[in-house]
Amino acid sequence: MRLLPAHAPFTMPSRLPTTLLLGCALALTACASSALTAELNHSPEASSAVEQTVDFEQWLAGFRQRALTQGVDQDIIQQATRELSPDPAVIRADQHQPEFSRPVWEYLEGALSTIRINNGQLLLQEHADLLTAIEQRYGVDRHILVAIWGLESNFGGNMGNRKVVRSLATLAHQGRRPEFAETQLLAALTILQRGDISVDAMVGSWAGAMGQTQFIPTTYNSHAVDFDGNGKRDIWSSKADALASAANYLQASNWQSGQPWGFETRLPEDFDYAKADLNQRRSLAEWREAGLYLPERYNSLEADSTAAILLPAGHRGPAFLVFDNFHSILRYNSSTSYALAIGLLSERLQGRGEIQASWPTQDQPLSREQRHELQQILTDYGFEPGEVDGILGANTRAAIRRFQQEHQLPADGYANLKLLQLLRKL
């Protein structure tokens, strides 16, 4: 079967976490986008590039010795690091993240493209037997798996072409999180030592995410599986291994078989938007009592099932009621935009999932400088957003809510240019 040509890669919204991944834009396909990679790219703990005290050859000599003490064979170390040199493109990617985040509605437009949906539907038919076997083994819905496959690597068509060992060595020597990168590099060597893949075939993104489902090495070691039974865990060329590995990861992330990821809802006019927080889970019975609309197709859900409200564009945009499985997807990639795209793409593959509410497309995304300014003003006036780092995470959203409540505004925790302009007037 021939797939339709895919669109050119587009950038990922980053909800600079919390998952590896992901408040500024990254290339969607074959990118370091998974929560599996989010720690490296967008951890709040990440700092600017470390000041180098040794050159690459000196660092590499030390690393080889450390790898030996960790039980990696001398032959593997030499084979993997022979004639190794830093990759300047990896350094540029790590140190120069894009200035703007894409609005969620623009990101979804690309993630939910007609071509991606059509290709996914073809692959669902072609691999129906495989997907049935994976569902039976791991309890993860096939449409979710195919959606992840499509967004992570364009269904295996774009897994990245950088040598993983070289990328991780570059980051371990001169990246924002050298210790994390070295941990991944050691894990990559253990993969080579087991013989699952060769050095030359171990390719991936600039940040070391690998294969059709973009695992970083430590996640590969803990969750990759040999589903096709050939003795190797091959997430590069084996669709069975790649999809089953993703299912295994989601199962380990508390995936609930038979439960939806979530669905669009409608909020009553007098709704208290401070309750629209992923950390505030309530039962369906409580949400019904609060006046939320639930589609009829979900009437069979248990009344005590817990869910939270997601407002990806604030109170003027669509609202979603999301369940435990949404949080499992966030373990894969900590961007709420990514998790929403996976959920909606899984629905579109089944001929539904169209969003009914309108997006506030007139909103302008904040630049990095403006995000810093917003956090600094919140700090100066005692709203406690945490570190002034340009990352609009949970602490900043809580601070925004405190400001909004104090000024009788809808407390949705949503940051946009209008909010910054209000803060400037304090």
Side-chain angles (χ1 to χ4, degrees):
M1 176 184 31
R2 191 188 186 98
L3 295 185
L4 298 169
H7 288 313
F10 56 94
T11 55
M12 240 187 116
S14 352
R15 180 192 79 148
L16 281 160
T18 189
T19 165
L20 135 156
L21 283 152
L22 280 189
C24 48
L26 292 175
L28 178 67
T29 56
C31 63
S33 67
S34 40
L36 316 178
T37 51
E39 293 180 66
L40 180 57
N41 296 315
H42 295 291
S43 169
E45 300 161 3
S47 61
S48 59
V50 295
E51 181 179 352
Q52 294 306 305
T53 57
V54 297
D55 65 22
F56 185 78
E57 288 301 325
Q58 290 175 305
W59 171 84
L60 185 57
F63 170 77
R64 286 169 173 156
Q65 188 58 44
R66 291 190 293 275
L68 275 175
T69 63
Q70 293 295 316
V72 182
D73 291 345
Q74 177 75 48
D75 290 345
I76 292 294
I77 296 171
Q78 290 302 320
Q79 179 187 358
T81 63
R82 185 183 301 118
E83 300 180 357
L84 195 62
S85 63
D87 186 339
V90 169
I91 296 172
R92 288 193 297 271
D94 186 52
Q95 295 180 7
H96 299 92
Q97 297 295 333
E99 174 67 15
F100 292 94
S101 295
R102 297 183 70 193
V104 59
W105 50 88
E106 289 185 9
Y107 169 60
L108 291 176
E109 183 178 0
L112 306 178
S113 69
T114 301
I115 291 176
R116 195 181 306 278
I117 293 167
N118 290 343
N119 285 340
Q121 290 172 334
L122 290 172
L123 290 167
L124 279 163
Q125 297 175 22
E126 180 181 358
H127 300 292
D129 291 343
L130 169 63
L131 291 165
T132 296
I134 293 174
E135 278 184 333
Q136 291 173 346
R137 171 64 179 84
Y138 298 103
V140 178
D141 178 73
R142 68 184 64 199
H143 304 96
I144 291 289
L145 293 176
V146 171
I148 289 174
W149 190 20
L151 263 65
E152 290 294 346
S153 70
N154 192 26
F155 308 110
N158 188 354
M159 295 180 283
N161 58 8
R162 298 197 175 277
K163 297 293 180 62
V164 168
V165 169
R166 187 185 186 197
S167 294
L168 291 174
T170 301
L171 293 168
H173 175 248
Q174 199 176 339
R176 291 174 296 137
R177 295 190 65 200
E179 292 182 1
F180 178 83
E182 182 163 317
T183 297
Q184 298 307 317
L185 181 56
L186 285 167
L189 295 187
T190 65
I191 295 170
L192 296 173
Q193 185 164 290
R194 276 196 307 270
D196 282 341
I197 194 76
S198 69
V199 175
D200 290 338
M202 183 184 273
V203 296
S205 73
W206 67 264
M210 313 178 302
Q212 300 190 38
T213 46
Q214 294 289 279
F215 277 21
I216 54 172
T218 52
T219 301
Y220 175 99
N221 283 337
S222 59
H223 294 96
V225 298
D226 171 23
F227 200 75
D228 61 14
N230 71 348
K232 295 183 179 181
R233 300 184 295 172
D234 183 2
I235 62 173
W236 293 267
S237 59
S238 170
K239 296 177 179 65
D241 289 1
L243 293 171
S245 296
N248 186 40
Y249 184 83
L250 288 173
Q251 183 191 60
S253 301
N254 198 37
W255 185 270
Q256 303 296 306
S257 181
Q259 186 184 85
W261 64 271
F263 49 78
E264 187 179 7
T265 185
R266 290 196 301 269
L267 307 179
E269 291 185 5
D270 60 349
F271 184 74
D272 178 6
Y273 288 100
K275 296 178 181 177
D277 188 305
L278 291 183
N279 293 320
Q280 295 198 36
R281 303 191 196 187
R282 290 174 168 77
S283 70
L284 284 183
E286 290 176 293
W287 287 127
R288 283 194 182 98
E289 187 175 341
L292 268 69
Y293 163 77
L294 272 66
E296 286 187 13
R297 65 186 300 263
Y298 296 107
N299 283 343
S300 60
L301 291 173
E302 298 291 335
D304 59 356
S305 299
T306 58
I309 294 174
L310 172 69
L311 300 178
H315 73 281
R316 293 181 298 114
F320 300 88
L321 202 60
V322 296
F323 295 81
D324 289 339
N325 287 343
F326 187 84
H327 293 269
S328 297
I329 300 170
L330 285 175
R331 287 285 305 278
Y332 207 105
N333 180 319
S334 62
S335 163
T336 54
S337 296
Y338 173 91
L340 182 60
I342 292 296
L344 290 172
L345 181 54
S346 74
E347 298 284 331
R348 299 286 177 88
L349 293 173
Q350 302 171 76
R352 54 178 187 263
E354 296 287 340
I355 297 174
Q356 301 302 311
S358 300
W359 294 101
T361 55
Q362 69 276 19
D363 277 1
Q364 299 179 33
L366 298 178
S367 69
R368 182 181 296 112
E369 181 178 289
Q370 289 171 328
R371 295 194 296 268
H372 276 91
E373 181 186 0
L374 180 145
Q375 290 176 317
Q376 189 61 60
I377 297 173
L378 289 170
T379 299
D380 292 344
Y381 284 92
F383 292 105
E384 301 179 0
E387 183 180 356
V388 178
D389 54 9
I391 299 170
L392 304 184
N395 290 335
T396 300
R397 291 194 297 274
I400 292 171
R401 282 196 173 95
R402 287 189 284 271
F403 165 78
Q404 290 169 327
Q405 289 170 325
E406 185 172 302
H407 291 79
Q408 289 77 54
L409 300 170
D412 58 9
Y414 181 61
N416 57 12
L417 184 58
K418 183 177 180 181
L419 175 73
L420 177 58
Q421 291 169 341
L422 288 174
L423 287 167
R424 287 169 174 166
K425 296 176 181 178
L426 290 180

